[in-house]
């Protein structure tokens, strides 16, 4: 079996992805899948398939195709992948096995979408990332409060978890709202670990990069193209700083979540966690920055009303980048708010199907235990 540019592979794996809203939990799944072999093909569903089985996707299929391509562990994507993964799908794409998270994926009529490949022994599982889910992120956007920054016990947040089909007690373990706990190990797993080499052009960009989306991907891709050998450093502002200039309930994702989201992007070499708002002399000299870029979004003044890009402009190394994509985090939030009732209904329906499966699994286990006890009695 051969793959373009990959003639001596040991094994391929196929990772089927819904990714109605691409986040760092999905990136972590793809990272784990890539570690199981040598070449990773990600299958991404159409809008029609997602709407049929789950409900309305947050991003369009074209946006999702581009976002999954930008995740650094993905070698290739299959556009319009079938919702039910069959042996025919794996064989068609020359894959040895498929990988999915340890949550269950059900069709519209409640059947396991991996049943066939599981029976054939061509299914592998990776661990779900605790503390992030589309359900949780949608809820943070709808609340429009800052409760998610520090306090999951906020009564409004608890009401949201009930509306969206998941609270901490007696609900499906797969449709989840829980707190993400950052560890140094997780950062190491996501980081490239590569230092800039002689001849690299060191490019610095800064911002919130909240709810990492296709607008960010297009911008970073354009930044990456500014040099022949780019080394792109992204400076992420702390949550309090982002809230100062963005207001409302921003950032939706905290600094730890935003760090992983940006590190997963193939155009990024390094992340500064809690970068100063003003891009000053110390930062530019420390990282030996050759070029500073900013997109077409508004540049808010610093606390003292000064221009945060004054120093790179003085040095003649500032460049405004037009990625051709005007999508902002505000636009994503607006999409969610407009579809609120559909999203609530979607998650309640999803959990009802999952709970039915859990009950069936419990009954099956009880039956097997009683049959085993009866046999032992004889």
């Amino acid at each position: 079996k051969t793959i373009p540019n990959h003639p001596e592979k040991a094994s391929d794996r196929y990772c089927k992805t819904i990714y109605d809203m691409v986040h760092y939990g999905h990136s972590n799944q793809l990272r784990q899948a890539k570690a199981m072999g040598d070449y990773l093909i990600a299958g991404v569903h159409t809008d029609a398939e997602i709407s049929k089985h789950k409900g309305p996707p947050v991003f369009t299929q074209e946006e999702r195709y581009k976002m999954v391509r930008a995740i650094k562990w993905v070698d290739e994507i299959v556009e319009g992948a079938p919702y039910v993964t069959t042996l025919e799908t794996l064989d068609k794409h020359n894959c040895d096995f498929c990988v999915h998270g340890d949550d269950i994926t059900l069709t519209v009529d409640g059947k396991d979408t991996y049943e066939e490949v599981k029976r054939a022994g061509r299914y592998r599982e990776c661990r779900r990332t605790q503390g992030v889910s589309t359900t949780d992120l949608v809820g943070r956007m709808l609340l429009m409060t800052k409760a998610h920054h520090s306090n999951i016990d906020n009564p409004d947040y608890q009401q949201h978890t009930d509306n969206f089909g998941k609270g901490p007690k007696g609900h499906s373990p797969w449709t989840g709202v829980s707190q993400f706990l950052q560890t140094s190990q997780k950062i190491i797993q996501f980081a490239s670990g590569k230092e800039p080499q002689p001849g690299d052009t060191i490019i610095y960009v800064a911002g919130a990069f909240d709810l990492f989306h296709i607008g960010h991907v297009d911008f970073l891709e354009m930044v990456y193209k500014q040099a022949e050998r780019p080394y792109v450093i992204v400076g992420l502002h702390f949550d309090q700083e982002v809230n100062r200039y963005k207001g409302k309930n921003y950032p939706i994702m905290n600094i730890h979540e935003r760090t992983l989201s940006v590190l997963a992007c193939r155009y990024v070499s390094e992340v500064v966690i809690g970068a100063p708002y003003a891009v000053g002399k110390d930062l530019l000299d420390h990282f030996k920055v050759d070029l500073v870029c900013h997109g077409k979004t508004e540049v808010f003044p610093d606390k003292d009303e000064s221009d945060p890009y004054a120093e790179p402009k003085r040095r003649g190394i500032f460049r405004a980048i037009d990625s051709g994509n005007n999508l902002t985090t505000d636009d994503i939030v607006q999409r969610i708010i407009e579809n609120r009732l559909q999203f609530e209904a979607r998650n309640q329906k999803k959990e009802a199907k999952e709970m039915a499966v859990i009950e069936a699994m419990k009954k099956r286990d009880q039956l097997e235990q009683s049959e085993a006890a009866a046999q032992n009695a004889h």
Side-chain angles (χ1 to χ4, degrees):
K1 293 193 285 188
T2 60
I3 291 265
N5 306 318
H6 200 86
E8 297 178 4
K9 69 171 189 56
S11 64
D12 300 336
R13 77 233 45 83
Y14 174 85
C15 192
K16 187 199 76 162
T17 67
I18 294 171
Y19 298 174
D20 46 352
M21 186 175 168
V22 185
H23 54 65
Y24 65 90
H26 299 133
S27 300
N28 193 39
Q29 179 190 354
L30 291 165
R31 179 192 65 78
Q32 292 177 73
K34 179 65 181 273
M36 294 180 189
D38 305 285
Y39 194 89
L40 179 62
I41 301 172
V44 186
H45 305 312
T46 61
D47 295 343
E49 279 280 81
I50 294 174
S51 296
K52 177 184 169 186
H53 295 279
K54 283 192 74 176
V58 178
F59 294 109
T60 68
Q61 61 199 43
E62 294 304 324
E63 289 171 336
R64 288 182 291 106
Y65 295 156
K66 192 157 191 179
M67 287 184 73
V68 175
R69 275 196 183 95
I71 295 171
K72 63 186 178 184
W73 298 287
V74 175
D75 294 300
E76 186 183 329
I77 79 158
V78 173
E79 297 183 2
Y83 198 79
V84 176
T85 304
T86 61
L87 293 173
E88 184 187 357
T89 304
L90 296 187
D91 292 341
K92 180 183 175 183
H93 299 290
N94 201 25
C95 292
D96 298 296
F97 56 90
C98 73
V99 182
H100 191 257
D102 54 8
D103 55 333
I104 196 161
T105 307
L106 305 171
T107 63
V108 69
D109 52 2
K111 289 189 177 138
D112 182 353
T113 60
Y114 291 97
E115 193 176 340
E116 184 180 319
V117 291
K118 282 178 180 176
R119 277 204 312 263
R122 292 173 69 181
Y123 175 84
R124 304 282 187 280
E125 216 162 65
C126 57
R127 291 176 63 190
R128 187 174 174 275
T129 306
Q130 287 300 313
V132 64
S133 68
T134 300
T135 307
D136 182 18
L137 294 174
V138 165
R140 297 187 207 178
M141 287 181 251
L142 292 173
L143 279 172
M144 298 309 281
T145 71
K146 285 183 264 186
H148 60 270
H149 293 170
S150 58
N151 184 12
I152 205 164
D153 297 322
N154 175 286
D156 291 336
Y157 198 76
Q158 289 303 323
Q159 182 58 46
H160 149 67
T161 66
D162 294 338
N163 287 349
F164 273 72
K166 163 80 197 278
K169 302 184 197 78
H171 290 291
S172 167
W174 299 311
T175 301
V177 176
S178 58
Q179 280 184 305
F180 170 68
L181 300 173
Q182 181 72 289
T183 62
S184 56
Q185 183 60 30
K186 188 62 65 198
I187 294 173
I188 289 165
Q189 287 169 346
F190 271 60
S192 70
K194 292 175 186 166
E195 295 191 357
Q197 300 302 308
D200 286 356
T201 299
I202 299 170
I203 308 174
Y204 182 78
V205 301
F209 291 89
D210 194 15
L211 285 179
F212 196 75
H213 55 71
I214 190 64
H216 297 132
V217 168
D218 284 342
F219 168 68
L220 289 169
E221 182 182 14
M222 194 61 75
V223 167
Y224 189 82
K225 288 177 177 174
Q226 298 303 301
E228 199 152 314
R229 288 179 49 187
Y231 186 92
V232 178
I233 302 173
V234 176
L236 289 177
H237 302 140
F238 277 131
D239 299 343
Q240 297 92 324
E241 190 71 75
V242 175
N243 190 254
R244 176 185 70 81
Y245 62 81
K246 288 275 286 180
K248 297 180 189 172
N249 63 334
Y250 293 113
I252 305 295
M253 285 182 161
N254 67 39
I255 184 70
H256 305 302
E257 297 173 303
R258 292 184 285 121
T259 298
L260 295 187
S261 299
V262 174
L263 280 173
C265 180
R266 65 172 69 250
Y267 307 117
V268 176
S269 303
E270 181 65 289
V271 168
V272 180
I273 304 168
Y277 189 68
V279 183
K281 180 181 183 300
D282 289 349
L283 184 144
L284 296 174
D285 292 346
H286 178 82
F287 291 109
K288 300 183 172 59
V289 175
D290 299 302
L291 184 64
V292 176
C293 296
H294 186 80
K296 291 295 184 180
T297 54
E298 183 183 355
V299 177
F300 296 93
D302 205 348
K303 293 187 190 76
D304 60 0
E305 297 301 312
S306 63
D307 178 0
Y309 291 103
E311 180 63 18
K313 285 175 181 174
R314 189 189 68 75
R315 296 187 183 195
I317 60 170
F318 179 81
R319 191 176 296 174
I321 301 291
D322 185 359
S323 68
N325 187 332
N326 297 321
L327 189 75
T328 65
T329 302
D330 284 321
D331 296 330
I332 303 297
V333 172
Q334 208 49 48
R335 287 185 191 183
I336 296 289
I337 289 170
E338 285 167 7
N339 290 295
R340 175 174 188 153
L341 293 176
Q342 282 179 287
F343 282 113
E344 287 191 357
R346 181 190 84 166
N347 285 321
Q348 287 170 352
K349 186 170 143 193
K350 179 172 179 274
E351 188 188 38
K353 285 197 296 184
E354 289 169 353
M355 290 306 294
V357 170
I358 289 168
E359 284 306 310
M361 286 162 73
K362 275 185 189 168
K363 282 179 185 169
R364 187 191 64 196
D365 290 345
Q366 285 167 356
L367 185 66
E368 286 174 356
Q369 283 169 7
S370 60
E371 283 174 354
Q375 282 176 346
N376 289 337
H378 290 301

